[in-house]
């Protein structure tokens, strides 16, 4: 599986690339934001590992540009910034998981496996009202209009589509999306749901995500009042 590692610390980058190669990952390495944008324009990656502290532009700006350019692969953010506000900013920019520096290599590989596993095919087409979701490609459409979803947004929609009109708790979302208990935070799910709501509204879907205080979220057909 081709991965892209964006890390300006060359010694760390080469060390991580060598270690990932031993786990059978093919990893391209770049050291700045512009090179990351160029690499993703030329190659389809299964996952991007992105450091936020890049020399030419902020990593969040790189992430926004990648998503705007159509990148749908999961993005694992490496950063020394680990306050809740920083995590929310990263998730809102299109990130799918966070890993704070310094980190242990086994944890990095575990997070990579988890993100790739969620991208693997495991079920047939899901349909609810005017939404069609393809689990294999992680693509969704509203009346034939494709929604540009990140990996995390696709995971949220997938879980809701598998349980239409039924409440899905925040803990269920966290268990489905993240494998690491120490990083689970309900604020992450709120960000993903908020982004997904906006995209459904922009597509004029007849489906909306209803929040039930203290319980979770439910996928319902919109009823005009």
């Amino acid at each position: 599986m081709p991965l892209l590692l964006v890390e300006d610390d060359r010694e760390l980058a080469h060390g991580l690339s060598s270690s990932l190669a031993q786990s059978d990952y093919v990893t391209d390495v770049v050291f700045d934001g512009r090179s990351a944008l160029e690499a993703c324009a030329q190659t389809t990656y299964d996952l991007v590992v992105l450091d936020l502290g890049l020399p030419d532009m902020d990593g969040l700006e790189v992430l926004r540009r990648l998503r705007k350019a159509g990148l749908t692969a999961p993005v694992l953010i490496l950063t020394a910034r680990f306050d809740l506000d920083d995590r929310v900013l990263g998730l809102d920019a299109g990130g799918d998981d966070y890993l704070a520096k310094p980190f242990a290599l086994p944890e990095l590989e575990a997070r990579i496996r988890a993100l790739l596993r969620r991208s693997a095919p495991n079920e047939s087409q899901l349909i609810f009202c005017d939404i069609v979701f393809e689990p294999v490609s992680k693509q969704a459409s509203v009346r034939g209009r494709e929604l540009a979803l990140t990996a995390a947004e696709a995971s949220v929609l997938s879980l809701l589509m598998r349980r239409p009109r039924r409440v899905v708790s925040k803990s269920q979302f966290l268990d489905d999306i993240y494998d690491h208990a120490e990083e689970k935070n309900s604020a992450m799910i709120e960000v993903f749901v908020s982004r997904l709501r906006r995209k459904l509204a922009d597509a004029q879907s007849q489906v909306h995500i209803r929040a039930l205080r203290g319980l979770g979220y439910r996928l319902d057909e919109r009823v005009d009042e």
Side-chain angles (χ1 to χ4, degrees):
M1 291 185 175
L3 311 182
L4 177 65
L5 173 62
V6 189
E7 170 59 65
D8 68 321
D9 184 327
R10 292 175 181 258
E11 183 177 355
L12 174 60
H14 289 308
L16 291 176
S17 177
S18 297
S19 297
L20 290 171
Q22 295 178 23
S23 298
D24 296 325
Y25 293 112
V26 178
T27 307
D28 291 342
V29 180
V30 296
F31 308 107
D32 57 61
R34 296 191 182 281
S35 297
L37 296 174
E38 292 173 1
C40 287
Q42 298 171 3
T43 304
T44 300
Y45 293 101
D46 289 316
L47 182 139
V48 176
V49 180
L50 174 65
D51 179 37
L52 293 188
L54 300 175
D56 57 342
M57 67 178 75
D58 185 78
L60 291 180
E61 178 61 24
V62 175
L63 181 52
R64 293 187 189 99
R65 293 191 188 188
L66 288 173
R67 291 304 188 199
K68 186 175 181 179
L71 178 74
T72 58
V75 175
L76 172 59
I77 297 173
L78 303 181
T79 181
R81 316 172 196 170
F82 212 62
D83 291 338
L84 175 59
D85 289 344
D86 292 324
R87 290 203 301 267
V88 171
L89 284 173
L91 294 170
D92 213 20
D96 297 283
D97 197 2
Y98 256 89
L99 185 57
K101 293 181 175 181
F103 54 83
L105 181 62
E107 183 177 10
L108 173 66
E109 293 191 2
R111 288 173 184 261
I112 288 174
R113 288 194 299 270
L115 289 171
L116 292 174
R117 186 166 59 247
R118 292 199 293 274
S119 301
N122 56 9
E123 57 185 330
S124 59
Q125 186 182 75
L126 302 172
I127 300 174
F128 178 65
C129 193
D130 59 3
I131 302 177
V132 176
F133 182 80
E134 300 284 354
V136 173
S137 61
K138 299 294 184 181
Q139 293 181 333
S141 61
V142 174
R143 297 188 299 278
R145 176 183 173 183
E146 185 175 337
L147 298 177
L149 302 180
T150 67
E153 293 164 1
S155 293
V156 169
L157 182 59
S158 175
L159 193 55
L160 289 168
M161 290 283 287
R162 294 200 300 268
R163 305 175 185 182
R165 303 188 184 94
R166 295 167 55 191
V167 176
V168 181
S169 68
K170 288 183 179 180
S171 62
Q172 287 175 306
F173 283 117
L174 290 170
D175 289 342
D176 190 70
I177 293 176
Y178 290 99
D179 290 347
H180 307 282
E182 68 276 10
E183 301 302 334
K184 292 180 181 180
N185 190 300
S186 61
M188 299 176 184
I189 302 304
E190 293 171 9
V191 171
F192 297 147
V193 169
S194 176
R195 290 188 340 208
L196 188 53
R197 276 177 172 155
R198 289 199 299 269
K199 293 181 179 182
L200 290 174
D202 289 344
Q204 298 182 323
S205 174
Q206 294 302 308
V207 171
H208 72 135
I209 303 172
R210 183 185 301 276
L212 292 94
R213 185 181 296 274
L215 296 176
Y217 298 96
R218 187 176 71 205
L219 201 64
D220 283 331
E221 296 176 68
R222 189 180 301 278
V223 178
D224 296 328
E225 298 180 357

